[in-house]
Amino acid sequence: MNETDLHPATRVAQAMGRIDQATRAVIAPIHVSTTFIRDPDNQYSSGFVYGRPDNATVREAEAVLAMLEAAPAGALLFGSGMAAAIAVFAVLNAGDHMLAPRIMYWALRHWMMTELPRRGIAVDFVAMDDPAAVLAAVLPGRTRLIWIETPGNPLWTITDIAAIAGIAHAAGARLAVDATVASPYHLQPLALGADFVMHAATKILNGHSDVVAGVVAGARDDADWQRIVTARRLGGAILGPFEAFLLMRGMRTLFLRAAAQAANAAALAARLAAHDHVAHVLYPGLPDHPGHAIAAAQMRNGFGSMLSIRVRGGAAHAIATAAAVRVWHRATSLGGVESLIEHRASIEGEGTPCPDDLLRLSVGIEHVEDLYADLDRALRAASG
């Protein structure tokens, strides 16, 4: 049987089946050298020259990521999700225009608002769940990139990737998808027409809250992909070898973790939707979610591990609920095996589109009854 005949779950669990040739170890070593011996004829037959643009441990993790995304151009690892996202903007020139969603990861939205104009690049934020609004926002001859995030943090807005890809390509633009929340277990944007897919690998790809990393995978090795490659090489933005090793360790259990977390999230969403102290649950897996039908069509194996609840009584009750939990951890980030709760508006600050009664929940792998009981008790305690 060829390796390519195996299910991705098998291939990722075995890290593509690589065995260290020197020791026959089933776990690859961490390659930390920053420099490499040149051949007598001045060539580098090993393929390695210096540690800033390339590393063997990083390559191994990138191969797994490229497999998970079915990415013909391959995958590139970066020192953070933000570094990976910013590298994608290397495809733009001064005078270009791009579109981004109104509901998205706040730190990147802030970067777009402040830094892109300094580069002479215009950005407009639109309702990405409305293809007609996206089409109307395209500037003929100027729009070169459309950036979407689906599900969109923290309201879990769903964008129709295939529809927006059609709009982007008709305008001569590229489509980049931040699929951090979904992970390749639930979503493969390149198969739906995206040109680039980005993840904060810090989150569910790693899954253990101990690595900061980012990845970009590409649909084709063309001039735009090479601009991203060059941006990483010249900017020194490559992930470190130890972090790549930890990321590989985390990805081996991705299919098990993502399945368990999605099942927990779906169960919690359904129960919290009927809770007396919850005004609304935002989760793409619920039939009343505005993007449910599209999510069901383009996602697989469930709807991910993220949901938000809007607490009756407003911001004060939401904050009090977060303060009263015992099993959930009050912390930022998402995708780890431990469940996290966060009053998101407090993090994002002034100008956030996030309602102040909203709590963002990153669901882990704990027993679902413990997670629900803790939230139930905290919600009731907060309401007095």
Side-chain angles (χ1 to χ4, degrees), residues 257-278:
R257 290 185 287 103
Q261 289 172 254
N264 275 355
L268 287 172
R271 293 179 70 175
L272 289 168
H275 199 284
D276 292 343
H277 300 291
V278 174

Side-chain angles (χ1 to χ4, degrees), residues 77-82 84 199-203 211-215 239 243 247:
L77 277 168
F78 292 79
S80 70
M82 284 291 289
H199 296 269
T202 309
K203 317 304 187 193
V211 172
V212 175
V215 62
L239 186 66
E243 289 77 12
L247 175 60

Side-chain angles (χ1 to χ4, degrees), residues 132-373:
V134 176
L135 180 60
V138 169
L139 302 181
R142 283 196 61 200
T143 303
R144 300 300 182 192
L145 179 69
I146 298 179
W147 180 278
I148 67 178
E149 179 183 328
T150 188
N153 188 2
L155 305 184
W156 317 119
T157 307
I158 299 297
T159 297
D160 187 331
I161 295 173
I164 305 303
I167 293 170
H169 297 156
R174 294 301 181 95
L175 176 64
V177 178
D178 179 348
T180 295
V181 169
S183 90
Y185 177 75
H186 294 296
L187 182 66
Q188 284 186 315
L190 300 183
L192 296 170
D195 299 290
F196 312 110
V197 57
M198 189 283 294
H199 296 269
T202 309
K203 317 304 187 193
I204 196 165
L205 280 172
N206 176 59
H208 293 81
S209 302
D210 56 8
V211 172
V212 175
V215 62
V216 179
R220 64 194 64 82
D221 187 357
D222 56 12
D224 279 343
W225 178 251
Q226 286 304 313
R227 293 178 92 175
I228 299 172
V229 172
T230 299
R232 189 186 75 167
R233 183 179 72 249
L234 297 183
I238 193 171
L239 186 66
F242 181 63
E243 289 77 12
F245 172 81
L246 288 177
L247 175 60
M248 179 77 85
R249 179 278 326 261
M251 289 192 296
R252 286 175 178 264
T253 59
L254 173 64
F255 279 65
L256 295 177
R257 290 185 287 103
Q261 289 172 254
N264 275 355
L268 287 172
R271 293 179 70 175
L272 289 168
H275 199 284
D276 292 343
H277 300 291
V278 174
H280 191 51
V281 175
L282 304 172
Y283 183 65
L286 292 178
D288 65 350
H289 188 284
H292 175 72
I294 294 171
Q298 69 185 16
M299 298 178 76
R300 60 194 181 189
N301 305 318
F303 299 89
S305 60
M306 298 301 299
L307 64 134
S308 295
I309 59 174
R310 299 188 64 176
V311 179
R312 295 191 189 279
H317 283 193
I319 293 170
T321 298
V325 295
R326 296 173 184 168
V327 177
W328 296 74
H329 295 313
R330 289 183 303 279
T332 195
S333 198
L334 56 93
V337 294
E338 63 287 314
S339 293
L340 307 179
I341 187 169
E342 180 177 58
H343 184 251
R344 191 65 194 167
S346 298
I347 297 295
E348 297 187 1
E350 185 177 354
T352 175
C354 180
D356 65 5
D357 60 357
L358 182 142
L359 292 174
R360 189 182 77 173
L361 308 179
S362 173
V363 183
I365 64 171
E366 303 94 339
H367 197 286
V368 70
E369 292 298 332
D370 291 335
L371 294 174
Y372 179 78

